[in-house]
Amino acid sequence: MYDVVIAGAGPAGVATAVALVQRDPSLRGRMVVLDRASFPREKPCGGGLAGDAGAALAALGLAVDVPSPPSPRAEVRFGSFRRQVALGRPVRVIRRDEFDASLVRQARDLGVEVREGAPLAGFTVDGDGVDVGVGSGERLRARVLVGADGVGSRVRKHLNHESDGTPIRLFRLEVPARGAWRSDAMLYDFSPMSDGLRGYLWVFPVAGDRLNVGLMHDPGVARSGAELDALLRRYLDRLGIELPRAARGWPAFGYSPSAPIAGPRLVTVGDAAGIDALTGEGIAVGMEQAQVAADAIVAALDAGDFRFAGYR
């Protein structure tokens, strides 16, 4: 029996666990974080610690202890139009496999139980709690289940009555720089919109003289994976960047104020609740959501009211 079971040990799930321990240290022994993966694991992502990520990490007592070269500028392009913008707070670009593994390690150092290779296999909500299934066949009981289980979140699907809608499409690959893009600026190129993209192409510098490249496409206009990969390849070629193989595609859902993100004994955070649909930002958003979720969970445990009716 746990007070809180958190499904997902990515940044949002770990941040929620750490925030809960900050607010109530006794939760160390009454909470578990589950994840289907073993860390480090590959995670397709632009990898930018943008927005208030630094402040959110500091508030949780977590550190960025992996390579994270800063980008002090952003460059926006559309055709012949170019503009560079100095960023008030440089964006630090990390590799998600390294960053996520580091956060799991830091959470364990704080006494948080994290189980790897333990996927959420299903759950049932009843009047007294949540019956949680783990992939190994084990059954857990929780007073609260947190869905930090990413874009394929079982918790979000439950709240949406198994109807997810059409996701945003993203394609991403890390490639050697090889002299093509020698800039500390983060490039946001909207030029492919002329060829049917509804979003932008990005080029972010990462450690080791490499580039994180990809594109984001809104689902309002149907485009196949092959079409999006061809767009990425064609426009990267104009920048002098060779795509050595097909980029990896994955879906994401934008946050919508009208979409349910909580229910009786259930709370979602991170990609499960939705990313910033304009920028694609998820890490900073998830880590800030985690602190809101922790406040709501502690209040629910104290009051015995698990409706989460006011969770926003």
Side-chain angles (χ1 to χ4, degrees):
M1 180 68 191
Y2 292 94
D3 277 348
V4 184
V5 171
I6 300 174
V14 165
T16 301
V18 171
L20 284 168
V21 168
Q22 278 186 337
R23 286 151 177 76
D24 183 355
S26 71
L27 283 171
R28 282 188 180 91
R30 298 184 282 123
M31 172 175 60
V32 64
V33 183
L34 310 174
D35 201 287
R36 68 172 60 250
S38 295
F39 292 83
R41 56 92 171 91
E42 183 184 4
K43 171 69 175 178
C45 177
L49 297 182
D52 292 327
L57 284 161
L60 295 165
L62 299 172
V64 181
D65 60 2
V66 298
S68 57
S71 286
R73 295 173 294 121
E75 181 171 324
V76 179
R77 294 187 181 187
F78 183 83
S80 61
F81 172 88
R82 297 185 184 185
R83 178 170 293 168
Q84 286 206 357
V85 181
L87 302 174
R89 288 170 294 190
V91 173
R92 307 191 73 86
V93 184
I94 48 85
R95 292 189 176 97
R96 284 292 301 275
D97 55 347
E98 300 171 341
F99 180 68
D100 291 8
S102 168
L103 292 183
V104 168
R105 182 177 65 251
Q106 293 179 64
R108 284 177 168 151
D109 289 345
L110 293 170
V112 175
E113 180 185 1
V114 181
R115 295 194 196 178
E116 300 175 59
L120 175 67
F123 64 91
T124 304
V125 181
D126 56 47
D128 298 321
V130 188
D131 185 50
V132 179
V134 185
S136 61
E138 184 181 4
R139 309 297 299 185
L140 308 177
R141 285 287 292 176
R143 298 174 75 189
V144 177
L145 173 62
V146 178
D149 45 344
V151 66
S153 172
R154 286 179 174 266
V155 179
R156 185 192 65 248
K157 287 180 180 178
H158 173 88
L159 293 169
N160 283 279
H161 305 289
E162 305 303 320
S163 176
D164 262 345
T166 305
I168 298 165
R169 307 281 302 282
L170 299 105
F171 284 77
R172 175 261 183 195
L173 191 66
E174 187 175 295
V175 300
R178 292 178 180 165
W181 179 258
R182 297 289 179 174
S183 173
D184 58 1
M186 306 178 76
L187 173 63
Y188 298 84
D189 191 350
F190 292 85
S191 304
M193 290 186 74
S194 298
D195 280 342
L197 185 72
R198 290 297 175 262
Y200 61 84
L201 176 151
W202 74 76
V203 179
F204 298 164
V206 294
D209 197 28
R210 297 180 69 80
L211 301 171
N212 185 324
V213 302
L215 58 75
M216 173 178 168
H217 178 70
D218 182 88
V221 177
R223 289 288 181 270
S224 69
E227 288 176 309
L228 293 173
D229 188 77
L231 270 178
L232 178 61
R233 188 179 301 274
R234 184 159 68 250
Y235 278 86
L236 286 176
D237 184 66
R238 297 181 184 185
L239 297 169
I241 300 171
E242 179 184 354
L243 201 64
R245 61 182 186 278
R248 179 178 173 182
W250 79 102
F253 292 92
Y255 171 76
S256 170
S258 62
I261 57 170
R265 297 190 180 272
L266 303 174
V267 169
T268 59
V269 294
D271 285 7
I275 65 171
D276 183 317
L278 175 63
T279 66
E281 173 63 44
I283 301 174
V285 172
M287 301 194 84
E288 290 186 302
Q289 288 174 348
Q291 298 178 62
V292 177
D295 288 338
I297 292 166
V298 168
L301 293 170
D302 288 344
D305 181 352
F306 297 97
R307 292 174 297 172
F308 295 108
Y311 181 65
R312 297 288 184 274

